[in-house]
Amino acid sequence: MPKAQREQGHARVFDLGQQSLRELNQALHDLGPGSNETAWEVLNPKGSHSVAVGVDQPISIDVRGSVGYYCAGMNDGGTITVHGSAGPGVGENMMSGQIVVKGDASQYAGATGRGGLLVIEGNASSRCGISMKGIDIVVRGNIGHMSAFMAQSGNLVVLGDAGDALGDSIYEARLFVRGKVESLGADCIAKEMRPEHIELLQGLLDRAGITDVKPSEFKRYGSARKLYNFNIDNADAY
Amino acid sequence: MCGIVGLFLKDKALEPKLGAMLSEMLISLSDRGPDSAGIAIYGAATGNEAKITVQSPKPDRDFRGLDAEVAKAIGAPVSVAVKSTHAVVRTTPDKVDAAREALQSLRPDIRIMGAGEAVEIYKEVGLPEAVVDRFDVRSMTGTHGIGHTRMATESAVTTMGAHPFSTGADQCLVHNGSLSNHNNVRRELRREGMTFETENDTEVAAAYLSNRIAHGKNLGEALEGTLSDLDGFFTFVVGTKNGFGVVRDPIACKPAVMAETDQYVAFGSEYRALTKLPGIDNARVWEPEPATVYFWEH
């Protein structure tokens, strides 16, 4: 028995080297409330697109390898761990639950997410958390340019550095960055870390299983709220 | 969407497998572009041979007796190796321009895909698997190569609209994206004497690089120039006689992933394209940064 399978005990194993992606996603969608099949393991993803998209039950899925576009999109309550890297759009529009990427994530990780927690243990590239709407995203490494563009709600925590135009046209999301920020986008400003933010950030780090950094090491960024209502004096900022 | 791949070998032991590796990489991205596919493979340049890859819609008619007729016209030995709709015309390096002229006057319907000491280019409409089978790309050896599977957006689905585009000796380029100022740049390049075969935006990018290299820039400097002079979305992968380069526009929304080991540098639009490469699980894998030029030379 492969090592991974032993660790998972009675996990239902799906080998994408032999079974189709459609079979996998159909089997996941067929699970009803209270199903006993709560542990799944996916082997040989080899960059496949749309692995475990649309999970809507509180099950756990371990994906052994790297995935392509849109892994775990729309996740609603599942706990999905990618033991590799993820392609563009991982966790896009997540509703609830948790996604952990052990490696790096490509563009627009967690885009438009409405809830749940996305943890990226490596780096995320451009547009991480673009238009996030309530999701919490924790990135252990760096994030690329235009991250949190038009972010509306939720929290983005970055232990490393952020690329150009962080938080461009941001609404109400909170951005916490521990490293340096290449540049801030339109209407995004550095903000004071008040006790409630320290507490919030500690909670996010705890949930992401991060114990080696302190909330006080981060800076907070958010919306200056100048672009909410059109004012001709701010026309250049749009 | 389009899919692009590139493979630059450092380990000579892999050279006999270059065609097979590049073919697999390209086939894995078939669903990114069903319209046409193409591949450029660089064999080792010997210094005493030049190759011109040509294409004809009627190969039986155009390639018959071509070697003898071109040899007579240019006064030098010529060999012609036919592969389906393409043929590789070989002659001595000093006769390559004369051979091009002879080919075009003897066979007006022939299209020149590319020329140089190292490169051969095969491209046709259809899926990558059909294209690599047709030209037996899997059996080809070489030092580096690039490939493309096309979803047509800016010009017609024709053989000439397929990538790679080659506009200078041993230079070629594949592109994922679309350029918005290609008509303007084409006009400027025409004024400088560059010629164009198609209305395709990518051909303009290839010609832009050739023009800059002709003005004395190296590949890295020429690629830097694309960042200020070309508007639009692009991930470019380019090959030269002994080099391989990558650049993405500053917005960088066209996907790209690279891998490097002691044996090779590889490029794919997606990680899927890299999964069959040897040692990929332990390779350094990264996403090329926007507005940043990467290049390698032998």
Side-chain angles (χ1 to χ4, degrees), chain A residues 45-49 66-69 86 88 104-108 125-127 144-146, chain B residues 1 31-32 248 250-256 269-272 275-276 285-287 289-290:
Chain A
K46 293 191 183 298
S48 298
H49 297 182
S66 295
V67 293
Y69 280 78
D104 296 333
S106 184
Q107 310 178 79
Y108 47 95
S125 78
S126 59
R127 293 173 271 274
H145 63 287
M146 299 206 78
Chain B
M1 244 184 346
D31 56 9
R32 294 188 65 90
R248 300 170 84 194
I251 304 286
C253 54
K254 291 299 173 184
S269 290
E270 299 177 35
Y271 179 75
R272 258 193 312 173
T275 54
K276 288 184 181 166
V285 176
W286 79 101
E287 229 172 79
E289 294 287 324

Side-chain angles (χ1 to χ4, degrees), chain B residues 186-216:
Chain B
R186 187 185 290 109
R187 258 195 304 277
E188 287 167 10
L189 290 169
R190 273 200 179 119
R191 213 175 295 137
E192 295 202 28
M194 303 292 292
T195 57
F196 292 86
E197 304 263 359
T198 70
E199 293 301 308
N200 189 284
D201 57 337
T202 304
E203 189 184 11
V204 174
Y208 172 88
L209 292 178
S210 296
N211 179 266
R212 291 299 180 270
I213 288 169
H215 281 87

Side-chain angles (χ1 to χ4, degrees), chain B residues 76-88:
Chain B
V78 171
S79 74
V80 174
V82 177
K83 273 190 188 179
S84 183
T85 54
H86 286 45
V88 178

Side-chain angles (χ1 to χ4, degrees), chain A:
Chain A
M1 191 188 287
K3 182 169 169 284
Q5 217 163 317
R6 282 202 308 275
E7 283 172 0
Q8 286 302 308
H10 295 292
R12 182 161 164 195
V13 178
F14 225 96
D15 186 349
L16 286 175
Q18 289 165 19
Q19 293 163 283
S20 74
L21 177 74
R22 192 170 290 272
E23 285 176 86
L24 168 67
N25 285 339
Q26 191 63 58
L28 294 171
H29 298 169
D30 286 344
L31 294 173
S35 167
N36 287 327
E37 289 187 303
T38 55
W40 291 67
E41 187 168 15
V42 179
L43 307 179
N44 292 311
K46 293 191 183 298
S48 298
H49 297 182
S50 309
V51 172
V53 154
V55 170
D56 64 355
Q57 298 298 324
I59 58 172
S60 77
I61 303 171
D62 284 278
V63 183
R64 305 281 172 187
S66 295
V67 293
Y69 280 78
Y70 306 124
C71 179
M74 301 179 279
N75 179 41
D76 194 0
T79 297
I80 297 157
T81 305
V82 178
H83 299 267
S85 290
V90 62
E92 190 169 83
N93 210 65
M94 173 153 62
M95 303 303 287
S96 68
Q98 184 168 325
I99 301 169
V100 178
V101 179
K102 295 284 183 183
D104 296 333
S106 184
Q107 310 178 79
Y108 47 95
T112 75
R114 299 197 171 242
L117 174 67
L118 169 62
V119 179
I120 295 158
E121 298 195 350
N123 301 310
S125 78
S126 59
R127 293 173 271 274
C128 180
I130 185 170
S131 195
M132 53 194 283
K133 296 172 180 159
I135 190 174
D136 294 321
I137 304 174
V138 179
V139 182
R140 196 174 247 292
N142 306 321
I143 58 171
H145 63 287
M146 299 206 78
S147 289
F149 175 56
M150 291 186 78
Q152 289 151 57
S153 168
N155 303 290
L156 172 62
V157 179
V158 184
L159 275 64
D161 302 332
D164 271 322
L166 177 70
D168 195 79
S169 307
I170 188 174
Y171 292 82
E172 286 303 311
R174 287 167 293 261
L175 317 179
F176 300 97
V177 182
R178 182 159 158 265
K180 71 176 197 303
V181 173
E182 199 67 39
S183 67
L184 292 172
D187 215 27
C188 184
I189 54 170
K191 291 188 163 182
E192 177 195 8
M193 277 286 255
R194 295 194 299 266
E196 69 261 35
H197 302 117
I198 296 282
E199 190 182 337
L200 169 73
L201 181 51
Q202 185 63 61
L204 289 162
L205 292 169
D206 289 346
R207 282 169 61 208
I210 289 171
T211 55
D212 54 345
V213 298
K214 294 194 287 285
S216 57
E217 295 167 26
F218 290 76
K219 275 189 179 156
R220 180 168 73 101
Y221 302 88
S223 177
R225 298 169 184 151
K226 283 187 181 157
L227 304 184
Y228 269 38
N229 299 298
F230 185 76
N231 177 338
I232 191 67
D233 296 337
N234 297 328
D236 288 346
Y238 286 94

Side-chain angles (χ1 to χ4, degrees), chain B residues 4-254:
Chain B
I4 50 184
V5 296
L7 184 59
F8 179 83
L9 299 180
K10 301 180 192 172
D11 180 356
K12 283 194 172 302
L14 288 177
E15 289 181 7
K17 295 183 190 159
L18 179 77
M21 291 163 82
L22 208 51
S23 295
E24 285 309 314
M25 291 170 77
L26 193 58
I27 288 167
S28 75
L29 298 184
S30 298
D31 56 9
R32 294 188 65 90
D35 293 329
S36 63
I39 211 153
I41 289 207
Y42 291 81
T46 59
N48 50 26
E49 182 182 79
K51 300 187 273 193
I52 305 169
T53 312
V54 296
Q55 186 266 358
S56 166
K58 293 197 171 151
D60 292 342
R61 179 198 64 191
D62 281 344
F63 298 153
R64 196 184 310 128
L66 187 62
D67 45 356
E69 286 181 57
V70 177
K72 190 178 163 204
I74 66 172
V78 171
S79 74
V80 174
V82 177
K83 273 190 188 179
S84 183
T85 54
H86 286 45
V88 178
V89 179
R90 289 180 166 80
T91 184
T92 51
D94 58 318
K95 293 289 186 186
V96 67
D97 290 337
R100 285 182 85 122
E101 283 173 31
L103 284 164
Q104 279 166 338
S105 67
L106 290 164
R107 300 284 194 276
D109 292 342
I110 271 184
R111 265 92 176 255
I112 293 176
M113 301 277 112
E117 291 183 32
V119 76
E120 292 178 29
I121 295 174
Y122 299 94
K123 58 186 194 182
E124 273 297 354
V125 294
L127 291 169
E129 185 149 32
V131 172
V132 303
D133 283 348
R134 185 169 191 170
F135 300 113
D136 195 20
V137 175
R138 287 187 184 87
S139 71
M140 293 182 72
T141 72
T143 52
H144 57 295
I146 62 178
H148 186 272
T149 183
R150 179 172 187 231
M151 184 173 280
T153 55
E154 290 287 304
S155 74
V157 179
T158 60
T159 302
M160 294 308 284
H163 305 213
F165 281 93
S166 179
T167 50
D170 280 319
Q171 294 163 18
C172 64
L173 173 146
V174 290
H175 170 206
N176 181 197
S178 55
L179 303 178
S180 48
N181 67 337
H182 60 102
N183 285 324
N184 235 353
V185 176
R186 187 185 290 109
R187 258 195 304 277
E188 287 167 10
L189 290 169
R190 273 200 179 119
R191 213 175 295 137
E192 295 202 28
M194 303 292 292
T195 57
F196 292 86
E197 304 263 359
T198 70
E199 293 301 308
N200 189 284
D201 57 337
T202 304
E203 189 184 11
V204 174
Y208 172 88
L209 292 178
S210 296
N211 179 266
R212 291 299 180 270
I213 288 169
H215 281 87
K217 306 272 192 211
N218 70 24
L219 174 60
E221 292 163 342
L223 288 171
E224 284 285 347
T226 63
L227 295 168
S228 46
D229 293 339
L230 300 181
D231 282 341
F233 296 119
F234 54 85
T235 296
F236 293 136
V237 177
V238 301
T240 62
K241 186 158 72 179
N242 57 356
F244 174 72
V246 174
V247 68
R248 300 170 84 194
D249 69 79
I251 304 286
C253 54
K254 291 299 173 184

